[in-house]
RNA sequence: GAGGGUGUAGCUCAGUAGGUUAGAGCGACAGUUUGUGGCACUGUAGGUCGUGGGUUCGAGACCCAUCAUUCUCCCCA
């Protein structure tokens, strides 16, 4: 056999039939719930102008954007300019002559761009969902791919906390349906802002969030070290340690955090919005837990209110969903004062979790239902006619491609997990019957050809 | 960007301290079986041991480089 020399770009994958079916099961579940909650679909291009994306995801994020090389760089007329601009690229700057487009990095920024461009036409509040791949030039590892799907639902044009309640319920509903046990973590950037305020300045917010976000990974001592490196005083660090040591039930956490930052206006607001979402969500019934996580910060710095993150229980995997409220995402694109809130599902990680915990139902494997045996020229003509009758009734069938030993045809059906075979040989041809065999049970019976629809509908 | 692991048949992997002609299971194909699959038995095909250098009388094994892949950190879904 010839040596195969082709390969796939790092971090990308092909999906074979059974994987696609399982992925579709997840997509369909999410899409269905999005529709159920009144969200409408939107699709945007795989690529955006580089300007649209740059600077939206922080310094690290910018590095992970896949940039697209411009066409026509070999144009002799422009060579001098291009050489000069390429020097800038070597210094880490982007220039439009070299690259001006990039693959989308997430779905939120393209959505904000869409809202800004179409603001006048939208009925507010505007609720859209979007299920498309995104690309990141990250180094692949467990649960991390360079091409992966996000499923986002966002509401813009409303400051109502009802939206947060709805989105929390969407999370709970989807994971209940999929049978994945999760913990939906909730926090408010306002509480973090209040913490920064009593620690001497709003400008410390980013430093503080980056450090405390790592608590469960590196431990309290390392966090304190990092805070110290980031220029916080011992008194400030002491306050943060008090904040981080808050534990207990949701109610206990709220009481404790109120004692610490409840005297600040922003802190009070943050506590109130969490209380509101928690109380409202208790009205609906679902298994997934909604719990306060005061260390939850989220890297994206456009979040301003409630923030969410979803972790799967019983499995080692990064977050499988995240989101939050942003006050002014479209302001970056020239349309100010459009508040919004959204959540995102990471399908590829959800798939990995479900695979690891064996949560996919058997019924996901629905392929061909009936294989018609091919036992000769006359036989196959009759079989073909019968098969078309079933297909007309939406039953998927196949006729074996050549007249060969039954042995082979049986094995084909078995490998493709086709549950029924239909045998129509010379005997059956004569008396107008056919044999239906159930490959799972091994039972078979002879029926009239005219009764075939009854048999399978 | 930093640091580990792994590359041997289509797949999963053995390969002992460096020593003839590199193995197993599964899979594929053919047959036992020209109208009944799964089981069993028999046989066949398939590998310049990721690639390139080096050490050695001798390398799948040891050393260096390189590529691929995987995992961890950073960050994230």
């Amino acid at each position: 056999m010839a040596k195969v020399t082709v390969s796939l770009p790092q971090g990308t994958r092909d999906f074979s039939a059974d994987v696609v079916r399982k992925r579709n099961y997840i997509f369909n579940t999410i899409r269905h719930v999005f529709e159920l909650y009144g969200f409408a679909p939107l699709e945007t291009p795989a690529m955006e102008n580089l300007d649209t994306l740059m600077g939206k995801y922080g310094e690290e994020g910018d590095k992970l954007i896949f940039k697209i090389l411009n066409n026509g760089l070999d144009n002799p007329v422009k060579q001098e300019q291009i050489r000069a601009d390429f020097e800038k690229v070597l210094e880490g700057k982007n220039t439009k002559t070299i690259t001006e487009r990039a693959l989308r990095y997430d779905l939120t920024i393209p959505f904000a761009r869409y809202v800004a461009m179409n603001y006048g036409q939208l009925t507010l509040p505007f609720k859209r969902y979007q299920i498309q791949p995104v690309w990141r030039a990250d180094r692949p590892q467990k649960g991390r791919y360079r091409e992966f799907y996000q499923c986002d639902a966002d509401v813009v044009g409303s400051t109502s906390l009802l939206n947060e309640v709805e989105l929390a319920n969407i999370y709970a509903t989807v994971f209940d349906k999929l049978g994945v046990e999760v913990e939906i973590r909730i926090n408010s950037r306002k509480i973090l802002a209040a913490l920064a305020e009593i620690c001497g300045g709003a400008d410390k917010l980013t430093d503080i969030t980056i450090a405390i976000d790592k608590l469960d990974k590196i431990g309290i001592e390392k966090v304190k070290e990092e805070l110290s490196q980031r220029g916080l005083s011992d008194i400030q660090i002491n306050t943060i340690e008090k904040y981080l040591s808050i534990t207990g039930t949701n109610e206990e956490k709220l009481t404790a955090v109120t004692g610490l930052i409840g005297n600040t206006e922003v802190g009070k607001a943050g506590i109130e919005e969490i209380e509101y979402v928690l109380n409202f969500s208790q009205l609906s019934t679902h298994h997934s837990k909604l719990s306060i996580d005061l260390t939850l910060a989220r890297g994206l710095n456009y979040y301003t209110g409630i923030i969410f993150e979803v972790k799967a229980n019983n499995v080692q995997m990064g977050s499988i969903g995240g989101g939050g409220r942003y006050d002014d995402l479209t302001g970056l694109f020239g349309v100010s004062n459009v508040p919004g809130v959204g959540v995102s599902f990471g399908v590829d990680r959800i798939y990995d979790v479900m695979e690891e915990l064996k949560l996919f139902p058997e019924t996901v494997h629905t392929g061909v239902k009936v294989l018609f045996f091919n036992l000769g020229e006359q036989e196959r003509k009759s079989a073909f006619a019968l098969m078309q009758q079933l297909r007309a009734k939406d039953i998927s069938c196949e006729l074996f491609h050549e007249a060969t030993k039954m042995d082979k045809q049986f094995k084909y059906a078995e490998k493709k997990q086709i549950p029924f075979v239909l045998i129509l040989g010379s005997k059956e041809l004569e008396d107008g019957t056919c044999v239906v065999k159930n490959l799972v049970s091994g039972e078979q019976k002879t029926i009239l050809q005219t009764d075939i629809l009854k048999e399978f509908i």
Side-chain angles (χ1 to χ4, degrees):
Chain A
M1 189 168 287
K3 185 119 184 170
V4 175
T5 55
V6 288
S7 66
L8 236 37
Q10 196 180 39
T12 66
R13 299 150 298 158
D14 289 323
F15 301 112
S16 56
D18 59 326
V19 178
V20 171
R21 291 210 171 94
K22 286 190 250 181
R23 287 168 63 86
N24 281 344
Y25 169 70
I26 301 174
F27 285 130
N28 292 340
T29 303
I30 294 172
R31 184 180 297 113
H32 179 256
V33 175
F34 284 168
E35 293 273 356
L36 195 63
Y37 277 72
F39 289 77
L42 173 73
E43 292 191 14
T44 65
M47 66 180 97
E48 292 279 346
N49 290 326
L50 188 55
D51 289 347
T52 305
L53 305 183
M54 290 297 287
K56 310 301 191 297
Y57 308 109
E59 213 174 300
E60 286 296 315
D62 282 356
K63 285 185 201 160
L64 301 180
I65 294 171
F66 270 110
K67 297 169 192 78
I68 298 169
L69 197 61
N70 286 357
N71 292 74
L73 291 180
D74 56 346
N75 184 342
V77 178
K78 295 178 183 165
Q79 285 236 328
E80 207 171 309
Q81 181 66 46
I82 288 167
R83 273 181 213 282
D85 287 339
F86 193 75
E87 287 299 317
K88 291 181 191 161
V89 172
L90 294 179
E91 292 161 19
K93 296 171 195 158
N94 294 300
T95 69
K96 283 206 164 183
T97 43
I98 306 291
T99 169
E100 55 182 339
R101 284 157 301 205
L103 294 177
R104 88 164 93 68
Y105 178 89
D106 73 351
L107 301 179
T108 308
I109 294 297
F111 172 58
R113 189 226 76 220
Y114 173 84
V115 171
M117 282 177 66
N118 298 280
Y119 191 63
Q121 282 84 265
L122 301 177
T123 306
L124 298 182
F126 180 58
K127 300 166 74 175
R128 86 84 174 80
Y129 74 88
Q130 191 169 353
I131 298 178
Q132 288 190 279
V134 302
W135 294 269
R136 295 185 188 176
D138 228 336
R139 182 155 299 194
Q141 55 183 278
K142 188 183 181 189
R144 173 170 306 187
Y145 306 98
R146 287 184 149 184
E147 177 182 63
F148 62 97
Y149 270 76
Q150 289 193 328
C151 306
D152 280 27
D154 286 80
V155 186
V156 294
S158 165
T159 55
S160 170
L161 281 171
L162 183 57
N163 297 309
E164 275 85 337
V165 173
E166 292 259 77
L167 292 170
N169 274 276
I170 284 179
Y171 268 142
T173 308
V174 166
F175 288 115
D176 274 7
K177 276 180 184 284
L178 292 176
V180 180
E181 276 184 49
V182 296
E183 185 186 343
I184 302 163
R185 298 179 182 170
I186 182 174
N187 194 15
S188 173
R189 285 294 264 251
K190 293 195 176 101
I191 287 176
L192 297 167
L195 182 65
E197 192 180 314
I198 62 169
C199 286
D203 57 314
K204 289 273 181 280
L205 177 61
T206 308
D207 288 327
I208 293 173
T209 55
I210 289 174
I212 69 175
D213 199 29
K214 298 177 187 169
L215 178 66
D216 56 342
K217 268 196 175 164
I218 62 177
I220 182 69
E221 290 310 315
K222 291 268 181 189
V223 169
K224 283 163 76 177
E225 235 170 72
E226 181 151 350
L227 287 167
S228 173
Q229 278 167 11
R230 287 174 184 272
L232 278 90
S233 72
D234 287 350
I235 298 169
Q236 291 165 343
I237 292 174
N238 195 28
T239 306
I240 292 169
E241 189 175 5
K242 247 187 249 168
Y243 173 86
L244 292 178
S245 63
I246 294 173
T247 55
T249 63
N250 287 341
E251 290 73 22
E252 286 164 357
K253 283 179 183 168
L254 280 173
T255 307
V257 80
T258 302
L260 200 61
I261 58 161
N263 56 337
T264 66
E265 203 164 310
V266 63
K268 214 169 125 192
I271 291 162
E272 277 170 10
E273 58 190 20
I274 289 183
E275 270 175 344
Y276 186 87
V277 174
L278 284 179
N279 289 335
F280 207 133
S281 295
Q282 280 171 356
L283 297 175
S284 61
T285 55
H286 47 66
H287 304 296
S288 307
K289 279 201 208 91
L290 189 56
S291 59
I292 298 172
D293 179 359
L294 295 169
T295 70
L296 178 61
R298 298 201 49 77
L300 297 169
N301 41 30
Y302 49 68
Y303 291 121
T304 51
I306 292 280
I307 46 181
F308 296 107
E309 196 156 287
V310 184
K311 283 280 294 175
N313 297 343
N314 313 318
V315 63
Q316 186 65 41
M317 179 65 72
S319 63
I320 56 176
R325 175 167 287 279
Y326 38 88
D327 280 339
D328 193 22
L329 209 50
T330 56
L332 300 161
F333 303 117
V335 178
S336 299
N337 303 317
V338 183
V341 57
V343 291
S344 181
F345 289 82
V347 170
D348 302 78
R349 284 187 179 176
I350 293 171
Y351 180 94
D352 289 345
V353 167
M354 291 183 68
E355 195 64 67
E356 198 168 326
L357 299 177
K358 300 189 177 13
L359 297 175
F360 285 106
E362 281 297 318
T363 52
V364 169
H365 307 279
T366 47
V368 172
K369 188 169 180 187
V370 189
L371 177 71
F372 283 73
F373 274 18
N374 184 338
L375 298 170
E377 184 59 29
Q378 284 310 312
E379 291 88 338
R380 87 168 62 113
K381 277 185 179 157
S382 297
F384 186 80
L386 274 182
M387 177 173 72
Q388 291 302 70
Q389 287 182 34
L390 286 188
R391 283 176 171 166
K393 296 293 178 189
D394 251 8
I395 296 164
S396 69
C397 326
E398 266 187 84
L399 173 60
F400 197 76
H401 65 110
E402 60 187 1
T404 179
K405 292 194 295 188
M406 293 179 84
D407 178 66
K408 278 208 160 200
Q409 307 198 35
F410 267 116
K411 282 184 173 156
Y412 178 81
E414 197 189 335
K415 270 180 218 149
K416 287 191 70 174
Q417 297 185 25
I418 299 172
F420 293 97
V421 297
L422 193 138
I423 304 167
L424 208 164
S426 50
K427 271 188 282 182
E428 290 78 12
L429 207 53
E430 269 177 41
D431 48 21
T433 60
C434 57
V435 174
V436 177
K437 178 157 184 173
N438 180 329
L439 290 195
V440 182
S441 66
E443 289 165 20
Q444 68 175 52
K445 58 182 169 183
T446 305
I447 63 166
L448 287 172
Q449 287 174 23
T450 47
D451 286 342
I452 189 165
L453 288 178
K454 269 191 251 166
E455 189 61 29
F456 289 106
I457 292 174

